[in-house]
Amino acid sequence: VGEGSVIFPNTFITGKTKIGKNVVIEMGAQIIDSIVEDNARVLAYSILEGAYLRTKAAAGPFARLRPGADIGPEAKIGNFVEIKKSVLDRGVKVSHLSYVGDAFIGEETNIGCGFITCNYDGVQKHITKIGKNCFIGSDSHTVAPVEIGNDCFVASSSTITKNMPDGSFAISRGQQ
């Protein structure tokens, strides 16, 4: 545990875990075999297992970072978000109520509430790639394998099943 870090009560830090300098770990957090870099924050009741939380990134409250979650510098993982075997670049925001599995998300991309990577077809796992500076609207899904380029916009409540080139816009909704 690095100098200046604050660890609140009822926190569990186990396995081969490393905590950097000036880290804040709020109460009820569980950190197992993970790395938390300098100036990062693990908010209340979050679980990190085999995860990497980079400099100035934040996770929680109630976030779950599963094995292979690599959260980039200054990224934000919010409440009730689960990340598994995914790399999120600098400044990515997945603020609430989302699942990101088997994905790569480029820097400064914003993921809206209720986003899901549909990565399992019943037999094997597939990859979702989302470029940098994208906006993914709330209640959207990607059905992997799929790639979204840089600077793309996905409208809320859309299910993305086809690749999107850089700078494109997608909307997919049934009629009301």
Side-chain angles (χ1 to χ4, degrees):
V1 176
E3 180 181 342
S5 291
V6 176
I7 300 173
F8 283 69
N10 299 318
T11 295
F12 296 88
I13 300 172
T14 60
K16 295 181 179 182
T17 295
K18 293 170 112 178
I19 308 295
K21 296 178 184 176
N22 301 309
V23 169
V24 174
I25 301 173
E26 292 184 356
M27 67 183 204
Q30 296 179 42
I31 304 174
I32 306 139
D33 296 323
S34 296
I35 297 171
V36 180
E37 288 188 344
D38 297 348
N39 301 299
R41 294 178 55 91
V42 179
L43 303 179
Y45 304 106
S46 294
I47 300 171
L48 282 66
E49 181 179 1
Y52 202 138
L53 191 63
R54 297 188 185 266
T55 302
K56 295 183 181 177
F62 296 99
R64 183 168 182 216
L65 304 184
R66 291 173 52 194
D70 185 345
I71 310 304
E74 301 172 20
K76 176 187 175 191
I77 306 304
N79 49 310
F80 305 105
V81 172
E82 182 175 356
I83 309 287
K84 188 227 23 140
K85 200 176 171 186
S86 296
V87 176
L88 282 62
D89 252 337
R90 175 180 299 278
V92 169
K93 291 175 184 64
V94 185
S95 293
H96 34 264
L97 300 166
S98 295
Y99 169 73
V100 177
D102 299 294
F104 298 93
I105 301 178
E107 64 184 44
E108 301 300 329
T109 287
N110 185 79
I111 305 292
C113 177
F115 171 75
I116 299 173
T117 56
C118 304
N119 59 321
Y120 184 56
D121 65 7
V123 178
Q124 59 187 353
K125 304 283 176 116
H126 298 281
I127 303 293
T128 295
K129 293 182 181 178
I130 301 174
K132 62 182 180 178
N133 299 312
C134 292
F135 178 87
I136 310 297
S138 294
D139 193 34
S140 292
H141 315 89
T142 55
V143 180
V146 70
E147 292 187 31
I148 297 173
N150 297 325
D151 304 304
C152 290
F153 189 102
V154 173
S156 292
S157 298
S158 292
T159 299
I160 304 304
T161 58
K162 297 177 184 171
N163 292 345
M164 294 175 60
D166 291 351
S168 60
F169 172 83
I171 184 170
S172 69
R173 296 184 188 144
Q175 292 184 351
Q176 182 172 347

